[in-house]
Amino acid sequence: MNRHGQLIGIGEDAIAEYKRLHADAWPGVLAKISACNIRNYSIFLKEPENLLFAYFEYVGTDFDADMAKMAADPETQRWWSFCEPLQRPLESRNEGEWWAEMEEVFHHD
């Protein structure tokens, strides 16, 4: 299992809509997340900085292939078409990232 932390900004005027969308996440999107070996997935909001922090655990064996499978899913693409305009990617993110991956510096069970 690999833990992932990710960070992205969100427009101040988009927070209510983002919360509304995620309060009623689409079952097909949730099923695809699970099918792509993602578990224990949470998104946190930090105001007033308007940052979203995502945490999930990846339990598969080929992260890139699973992320490609998710990205190819039409329902997930449609979901992202609602979410992405609300988000503000960090300028410091790596090339090819939407959410900026974070380095884990400490863990304790």
Coordinates of all heavy atoms in Angstrom, one line a residue, residues 7-68:
L7 N -2.3 18.3 -3.3 CA -2.8 19.6 -2.9 C -3.2 20.4 -4.2 O -2.5 20.3 -5.2 CB -1.6 20.4 -2.2 CG -1.9 21.6 -1.4 CD1 -2.9 21.3 -0.3 CD2 -0.7 22.3 -0.9
I8 N -4.2 21.2 -4.1 CA -4.7 22.0 -5.2 C -5.4 23.2 -4.5 O -6.0 23.1 -3.4 CB -5.6 21.3 -6.1 CG1 -5.7 22.0 -7.5 CG2 -7.0 21.0 -5.6 CD1 -6.3 21.1 -8.6
G9 N -5.5 24.3 -5.2 CA -6.3 25.4 -4.8 C -7.7 25.3 -5.3 O -8.0 24.5 -6.1
I10 N -8.5 26.2 -4.7 CA -9.9 26.3 -5.1 C -10.4 27.7 -5.0 O -9.9 28.4 -4.1 CB -10.9 25.4 -4.3 CG1 -12.3 25.4 -4.8 CG2 -10.8 25.7 -2.8 CD1 -13.2 24.3 -4.3
G11 N -11.1 28.2 -6.0 CA -11.6 29.5 -6.0 C -12.5 29.8 -4.8 O -13.4 28.9 -4.5
E12 N -12.4 30.9 -4.2 CA -13.3 31.2 -3.0 C -14.7 31.1 -3.4 O -15.6 30.6 -2.6 CB -12.9 32.6 -2.5 CG -13.7 33.0 -1.2 CD -13.3 34.3 -0.7 OE1 -12.3 34.9 -1.2 OE2 -14.0 34.8 0.3
D13 N -15.1 31.6 -4.5 CA -16.5 31.5 -5.0 C -16.9 30.1 -5.4 O -18.1 29.9 -5.7 CB -16.7 32.5 -6.1 CG -15.8 32.3 -7.3 OD1 -14.8 31.6 -7.2 OD2 -16.1 32.7 -8.4
A14 N -16.0 29.2 -5.4 CA -16.3 27.8 -5.9 C -16.5 26.8 -4.7 O -16.9 25.7 -5.0 CB -15.2 27.3 -6.8
I15 N -16.2 27.2 -3.5 CA -16.2 26.3 -2.4 C -17.6 25.7 -2.2 O -17.7 24.4 -2.0 CB -15.7 27.0 -1.1 CG1 -14.2 27.3 -1.3 CG2 -15.9 26.1 0.1 CD1 -13.6 28.2 -0.2
A16 N -18.6 26.5 -2.2 CA -19.9 25.9 -1.9 C -20.3 24.9 -3.0 O -20.9 23.8 -2.6 CB -21.0 27.0 -1.8
E17 N -20.1 25.2 -4.2 CA -20.4 24.2 -5.3 C -19.6 22.9 -5.2 O -20.1 21.8 -5.4 CB -20.2 24.9 -6.7 CG -20.4 23.9 -7.8 CD -21.9 23.4 -8.0 OE1 -22.8 23.9 -7.2 OE2 -22.1 22.6 -8.8
Y18 N -18.3 23.1 -4.8 CA -17.4 21.9 -4.7 C -17.9 21.0 -3.6 O -18.0 19.8 -3.7 CB -16.0 22.4 -4.4 CG -14.9 21.3 -4.7 CD1 -14.5 21.0 -5.9 CD2 -14.4 20.5 -3.6 CE1 -13.5 20.1 -6.2 CE2 -13.5 19.6 -3.8 CZ -13.0 19.3 -5.1 OH -12.1 18.3 -5.3
K19 N -18.3 21.6 -2.5 CA -18.9 20.8 -1.3 C -20.2 20.2 -1.7 O -20.4 19.0 -1.4 CB -19.1 21.8 -0.1 CG -17.9 22.2 0.6 CD -18.2 23.1 1.8 CE -17.0 23.5 2.6 NZ -17.4 24.3 3.8
R20 N -21.0 20.9 -2.5 CA -22.3 20.3 -2.9 C -22.1 19.1 -3.8 O -22.7 18.1 -3.6 CB -23.1 21.4 -3.7 CG -24.5 20.9 -4.1 CD -25.2 21.8 -5.1 NE -24.6 21.7 -6.4 CZ -24.7 20.7 -7.2 NH1 -25.4 19.6 -6.9 NH2 -24.1 20.7 -8.4
L21 N -21.1 19.2 -4.8 CA -20.8 18.1 -5.7 C -20.4 16.9 -4.9 O -20.8 15.8 -5.1 CB -19.7 18.5 -6.7 CG -20.1 19.3 -7.9 CD1 -18.9 19.9 -8.6 CD2 -21.0 18.5 -8.8
H22 N -19.5 17.1 -3.9 CA -18.9 16.0 -3.2 C -19.8 15.4 -2.1 O -19.6 14.3 -1.7 CB -17.5 16.4 -2.7 CG -16.5 16.4 -3.7 ND1 -16.4 17.5 -4.6 CD2 -15.6 15.5 -4.2 CE1 -15.4 17.3 -5.5 NE2 -14.9 16.1 -5.2
A23 N -20.8 16.2 -1.7 CA -21.8 15.6 -0.8 C -22.7 14.6 -1.5 O -23.3 13.8 -0.8 CB -22.6 16.8 -0.2
D24 N -22.7 14.7 -2.8 CA -23.6 13.7 -3.6 C -22.7 13.2 -4.7 O -23.2 13.2 -5.9 CB -24.8 14.5 -4.1 CG -25.8 13.5 -4.6 OD1 -25.9 12.3 -4.2 OD2 -26.6 14.0 -5.5
A25 N -21.5 12.6 -4.4 CA -20.7 12.1 -5.4 C -21.3 11.0 -6.2 O -22.1 10.2 -5.6 CB -19.4 11.6 -4.8
W26 N -21.1 11.0 -7.5 CA -21.8 10.0 -8.4 C -21.3 8.6 -8.1 O -20.1 8.3 -8.0 CB -21.5 10.3 -9.8 CG -21.9 11.7 -10.2 CD1 -22.7 12.6 -9.5 CD2 -21.5 12.4 -11.4 NE1 -22.8 13.8 -10.2 CE2 -22.1 13.7 -11.4 CE3 -20.7 12.0 -12.5 CZ2 -22.0 14.6 -12.4 CZ3 -20.6 12.9 -13.5 CH2 -21.2 14.2 -13.5
P27 N -22.3 7.6 -8.0 CA -21.9 6.2 -7.7 C -20.9 5.6 -8.7 O -20.0 4.9 -8.3 CB -23.2 5.5 -7.7 CG -24.2 6.6 -7.4 CD -23.7 7.8 -8.0
G28 N -21.1 6.0 -10.0 CA -20.1 5.4 -11.0 C -18.7 5.9 -10.8 O -17.8 5.2 -11.1
V29 N -18.6 7.2 -10.4 CA -17.2 7.7 -10.1 C -16.6 7.0 -8.9 O -15.5 6.7 -8.9 CB -17.3 9.3 -10.0 CG1 -16.0 9.8 -9.5 CG2 -17.7 9.9 -11.3
L30 N -17.4 6.9 -7.9 CA -16.9 6.2 -6.7 C -16.5 4.7 -7.0 O -15.5 4.3 -6.5 CB -18.0 6.2 -5.6 CG -18.4 7.6 -5.1 CD1 -19.5 7.5 -4.0 CD2 -17.2 8.4 -4.5
A31 N -17.3 4.1 -7.8 CA -17.0 2.7 -8.2 C -15.7 2.6 -9.0 O -14.9 1.7 -8.8 CB -18.1 2.1 -9.0
K32 N -15.5 3.6 -9.9 CA -14.2 3.6 -10.7 C -13.0 3.9 -9.8 O -12.0 3.3 -9.9 CB -14.3 4.7 -11.8 CG -13.1 4.8 -12.7 CD -12.8 3.4 -13.4 CE -13.8 3.0 -14.4 NZ -13.5 1.8 -15.1
I33 N -13.2 4.8 -8.8 CA -12.1 5.0 -7.8 C -11.7 3.7 -7.2 O -10.5 3.4 -7.1 CB -12.5 6.1 -6.8 CG1 -12.6 7.5 -7.4 CG2 -11.5 6.1 -5.6 CD1 -13.2 8.6 -6.6
S34 N -12.7 3.0 -6.7 CA -12.4 1.7 -6.0 C -11.8 0.7 -7.0 O -10.8 0.0 -6.7 CB -13.7 1.1 -5.4 OG -14.1 1.9 -4.4
A35 N -12.3 0.6 -8.3 CA -11.8 -0.3 -9.3 C -10.4 0.0 -9.6 O -9.7 -0.9 -10.1 CB -12.7 -0.2 -10.5
C36 N -10.0 1.3 -9.4 CA -8.6 1.7 -9.7 C -7.7 1.6 -8.5 O -6.6 2.2 -8.4 CB -8.6 3.1 -10.3 SG -9.3 3.1 -12.0
N37 N -8.1 0.8 -7.5 CA -7.3 0.4 -6.4 C -7.0 1.5 -5.4 O -5.9 1.6 -4.8 CB -6.0 -0.3 -6.8 CG -6.3 -1.6 -7.5 OD1 -6.9 -2.5 -6.9 ND2 -5.8 -1.7 -8.8
I38 N -7.9 2.5 -5.3 CA -7.8 3.6 -4.4 C -8.7 3.3 -3.2 O -9.9 3.0 -3.4 CB -8.1 4.9 -5.0 CG1 -7.0 5.3 -6.0 CG2 -8.3 6.1 -4.0 CD1 -7.2 6.5 -6.8
R39 N -8.2 3.4 -2.0 CA -8.9 3.2 -0.8 C -8.7 4.4 0.2 O -7.7 5.2 0.0 CB -8.4 1.9 -0.1 CG -8.5 0.7 -0.9 CD -9.9 0.2 -1.2 NE -9.9 -1.0 -2.0 CZ -9.9 -1.1 -3.3 NH1 -9.7 -0.1 -4.0 NH2 -9.9 -2.3 -3.9
N40 N -9.6 4.5 1.2 CA -9.4 5.5 2.2 C -9.2 6.9 1.7 O -8.2 7.6 2.1 CB -8.3 5.0 3.2 CG -8.3 5.7 4.5 OD1 -9.4 6.2 4.9 ND2 -7.2 5.8 5.2
Y41 N -10.0 7.3 0.7 CA -9.8 8.6 0.0 C -10.6 9.7 0.7 O -11.8 9.5 1.0 CB -10.3 8.4 -1.4 CG -10.1 9.5 -2.4 CD1 -9.1 10.5 -2.1 CD2 -10.8 9.7 -3.5 CE1 -8.9 11.5 -3.0 CE2 -10.6 10.7 -4.4 CZ -9.7 11.6 -4.2 OH -9.5 12.7 -5.1
S42 N -9.9 10.8 1.0 CA -10.5 11.9 1.7 C -10.0 13.2 1.0 O -8.9 13.2 0.6 CB -10.2 12.0 3.2 OG -10.7 10.9 3.9
I43 N -10.8 14.2 1.0 CA -10.4 15.6 0.6 C -10.8 16.5 1.8 O -11.9 16.5 2.3 CB -11.1 16.0 -0.7 CG1 -10.8 15.0 -1.8 CG2 -10.7 17.4 -1.0 CD1 -11.5 15.3 -3.1
F44 N -9.8 17.4 2.1 CA -10.0 18.3 3.2 C -9.8 19.7 2.6 O -9.1 19.9 1.7 CB -8.9 18.1 4.3 CG -8.9 16.8 4.9 CD1 -8.2 15.7 4.4 CD2 -9.6 16.6 6.1 CE1 -8.2 14.5 5.0 CE2 -9.6 15.4 6.7 CZ -8.9 14.3 6.2
L45 N -10.5 20.7 3.2 CA -10.5 22.1 2.8 C -9.8 22.9 3.9 O -10.2 22.8 5.1 CB -11.9 22.6 2.5 CG -12.0 24.1 2.3 CD1 -11.3 24.6 1.0 CD2 -13.5 24.5 2.2
K46 N -8.9 23.8 3.5 CA -8.3 24.7 4.4 C -8.6 26.2 4.0 O -8.2 26.6 2.9 CB -6.7 24.5 4.5 CG -6.0 25.6 5.3 CD -6.4 25.5 6.8 CE -5.5 26.4 7.6 NZ -6.3 27.4 8.3
E47 N -9.4 26.8 4.8 CA -9.8 28.2 4.6 C -9.0 29.0 5.6 O -8.8 28.6 6.7 CB -11.3 28.4 4.7 CG -12.1 27.7 3.6 CD -13.5 28.0 3.7 OE1 -14.2 27.3 4.5 OE2 -14.0 28.9 3.0
P48 N -8.7 30.3 5.4 CA -9.0 31.1 4.2 C -8.1 30.9 3.1 O -8.2 31.6 2.0 CB -9.0 32.5 4.8 CG -7.9 32.4 5.8 CD -8.0 31.1 6.4
E49 N -7.1 30.0 3.2 CA -6.1 29.9 2.1 C -6.8 29.2 0.8 O -6.2 29.3 -0.2 CB -4.9 29.0 2.5 CG -4.1 29.6 3.6 CD -4.6 29.5 5.0 OE1 -5.8 28.9 5.2 OE2 -3.9 29.8 6.0
N50 N -7.9 28.6 1.0 CA -8.6 27.9 -0.1 C -7.8 26.9 -0.8 O -7.6 26.9 -2.0 CB -9.2 29.0 -1.0 CG -10.1 29.9 -0.3 OD1 -10.7 29.6 0.7 ND2 -10.2 31.2 -0.8
L51 N -7.3 25.9 0.1 CA -6.5 24.8 -0.4 C -7.3 23.5 -0.1 O -7.9 23.4 0.9 CB -5.2 24.7 0.3 CG -4.2 25.9 0.0 CD1 -3.0 25.8 0.9 CD2 -3.8 25.9 -1.5
L52 N -7.2 22.6 -1.1 CA -7.8 21.3 -0.9 C -6.6 20.3 -0.8 O -5.7 20.3 -1.6 CB -8.6 20.9 -2.1 CG -9.9 21.7 -2.4 CD1 -10.5 21.4 -3.8 CD2 -10.9 21.5 -1.3
F53 N -6.7 19.5 0.3 CA -5.7 18.4 0.5 C -6.4 17.1 0.3 O -7.4 16.8 1.0 CB -5.1 18.6 1.9 CG -4.3 17.4 2.4 CD1 -3.1 17.1 1.8 CD2 -4.9 16.5 3.3 CE1 -2.4 16.0 2.2 CE2 -4.1 15.4 3.7 CZ -2.9 15.1 3.1
A54 N -5.9 16.3 -0.5 CA -6.4 14.9 -0.8 C -5.5 13.9 -0.2 O -4.2 14.0 -0.3 CB -6.6 14.7 -2.3
Y55 N -6.0 12.9 0.4 CA -5.3 11.8 0.9 C -5.9 10.5 0.5 O -7.2 10.4 0.5 CB -5.2 11.7 2.5 CG -4.6 10.5 3.0 CD1 -3.2 10.3 3.1 CD2 -5.4 9.4 3.4 CE1 -2.7 9.1 3.5 CE2 -4.8 8.2 3.8 CZ -3.5 8.1 3.9 OH -2.9 6.9 4.3
F56 N -5.1 9.5 0.0 CA -5.7 8.2 -0.4 C -4.6 7.2 -0.3 O -3.4 7.5 -0.3 CB -6.3 8.2 -1.8 CG -5.4 8.5 -2.9 CD1 -4.7 7.5 -3.6 CD2 -5.4 9.8 -3.4 CE1 -3.9 7.8 -4.6 CE2 -4.5 10.1 -4.5 CZ -3.8 9.1 -5.1
E57 N -5.0 5.9 -0.2 CA -4.1 4.8 -0.2 C -4.3 4.0 -1.5 O -5.4 3.7 -1.9 CB -4.4 4.0 1.0 CG -4.1 4.7 2.3 CD -4.6 4.1 3.6 OE1 -5.3 3.1 3.5 OE2 -4.3 4.7 4.7
Y58 N -3.2 3.8 -2.1 CA -3.2 3.0 -3.4 C -2.7 1.6 -3.1 O -1.6 1.3 -2.5 CB -2.2 3.6 -4.4 CG -2.2 2.8 -5.7 CD1 -3.3 2.8 -6.5 CD2 -1.1 2.0 -6.0 CE1 -3.3 2.0 -7.7 CE2 -1.1 1.3 -7.2 CZ -2.2 1.3 -8.0 OH -2.2 0.5 -9.1
V59 N -3.6 0.6 -3.4 CA -3.4 -0.8 -3.1 C -3.1 -1.7 -4.3 O -2.9 -2.9 -4.1 CB -4.5 -1.4 -2.2 CG1 -4.7 -0.7 -0.9 CG2 -5.8 -1.4 -3.0
G60 N -2.9 -1.1 -5.4 CA -2.7 -1.9 -6.7 C -1.2 -2.1 -6.9 O -0.3 -1.8 -6.0
T61 N -0.9 -2.5 -8.1 CA 0.5 -2.8 -8.4 C 1.0 -1.9 -9.6 O 2.2 -1.9 -9.9 CB 0.7 -4.3 -8.8 OG1 -0.2 -4.6 -9.9 CG2 0.4 -5.2 -7.7
D62 N 0.2 -1.2 -10.3 CA 0.6 -0.3 -11.4 C -0.2 1.0 -11.3 O -1.3 1.1 -12.0 CB 0.3 -1.1 -12.7 CG 1.0 -0.3 -13.9 OD1 1.2 0.9 -13.8 OD2 1.2 -1.0 -14.9
F63 N 0.3 1.9 -10.6 CA -0.4 3.2 -10.3 C -0.7 3.9 -11.6 O -1.8 4.4 -11.9 CB 0.4 4.1 -9.4 CG -0.2 5.4 -9.0 CD1 -1.3 5.4 -8.1 CD2 0.2 6.6 -9.6 CE1 -1.9 6.6 -7.8 CE2 -0.4 7.8 -9.2 CZ -1.4 7.8 -8.3
D64 N 0.3 4.0 -12.5 CA 0.1 4.8 -13.8 C -1.0 4.1 -14.6 O -1.8 4.8 -15.2 CB 1.4 4.8 -14.5 CG 2.5 5.7 -13.9 OD1 2.1 6.6 -13.1 OD2 3.7 5.5 -14.1
A65 N -1.0 2.8 -14.7 CA -2.0 2.1 -15.5 C -3.4 2.3 -14.9 O -4.4 2.6 -15.6 CB -1.7 0.6 -15.6
D66 N -3.5 2.3 -13.6 CA -4.8 2.5 -12.9 C -5.3 4.0 -13.1 O -6.5 4.2 -13.3 CB -4.8 2.1 -11.5 CG -4.9 0.6 -11.2 OD1 -5.5 0.0 -12.0 OD2 -4.3 0.2 -10.2
M67 N -4.4 4.9 -13.0 CA -4.7 6.3 -13.2 C -5.2 6.5 -14.7 O -6.1 7.3 -15.0 CB -3.6 7.2 -12.8 CG -3.3 7.2 -11.3 SD -4.7 7.5 -10.2 CE -5.2 5.8 -9.8
A68 N -4.5 5.9 -15.6 CA -4.9 6.0 -17.0 C -6.3 5.4 -17.3 O -7.1 5.9 -18.0 CB -3.9 5.3 -17.9

